[in-house]
Amino acid sequence: MKALRIPLLLLSFLFTVVLLNSLFIHSRCQSWAAEVDAIDTLTAQEDWSASEKNLSVLYQHWQDAQLYLHITAHRAALDAIEEQFRCCAMQLSQRDLSQLRTSLTSLAAQLQSLGETEQLHPRNIF
């Protein structure tokens, strides 16, 4: 039984790290998606300056997490979200309400999808 201690401790440690990563990324993505929804609400009210400020703050939060996300998440998903941020910023600067709201909805969906794909769930394992 003593021979199994180290492998069991190592597996327990790895499982704990995977679980914490899953919880961290899922909570961050949910928070970011909620911020996108708040920006969408401001956009619907045509509060352009507040929308621009909030999108800029959200993008900075996204950039602050890039090192960690590039280590733990799929590059294609991160690139798609980055592109969606650019589209939202461009449409916000052009004051294109209908396209901006569509892009914000897409951005929120991509963030939620990223959070779900990083969850510890059998569909993500098999």
Side-chain angles (χ1 to χ4, degrees), residues 2 5-6 15 29-30 48 58 68-69 71 79 82 92 98 104 113 119-120 123-124:
K2 285 185 178 183
R5 282 186 190 167
I6 292 177
F15 179 75
C29 287
Q30 293 299 326
W48 302 112
L58 174 60
Y68 183 77
L69 289 172
I71 293 169
D79 289 345
E82 186 75 26
L92 186 57
S98 63
L104 287 170
S113 176
Q119 279 186 316
L120 190 60
R123 72 173 178 255
N124 294 333

Side-chain angles (χ1 to χ4, degrees), residues 44-111:
Q45 298 168 355
E46 297 188 19
D47 189 350
W48 302 112
S49 62
S51 296
E52 286 176 338
K53 180 182 174 233
N54 289 1
L55 185 63
S56 177
V57 168
L58 174 60
Y59 186 69
Q60 185 58 48
H61 291 162
W62 170 256
Q63 287 299 313
D64 292 344
Q66 285 305 296
L67 178 62
Y68 183 77
L69 289 172
H70 278 294
I71 293 169
T72 59
H74 294 286
R75 177 77 185 215
L78 299 177
D79 289 345
I81 292 171
E82 186 75 26
E83 180 63 30
Q84 202 61 46
F85 266 115
R86 286 190 198 106
C87 287
C88 289
M90 182 186 65
Q91 291 162 353
L92 186 57
S93 69
Q94 295 174 350
R95 307 291 193 254
D96 187 355
L97 183 62
S98 63
Q99 288 294 325
L100 175 59
R101 294 199 68 204
T102 301
S103 294
L104 287 170
T105 302
S106 177
L107 177 59
Q110 288 177 346
L111 288 167

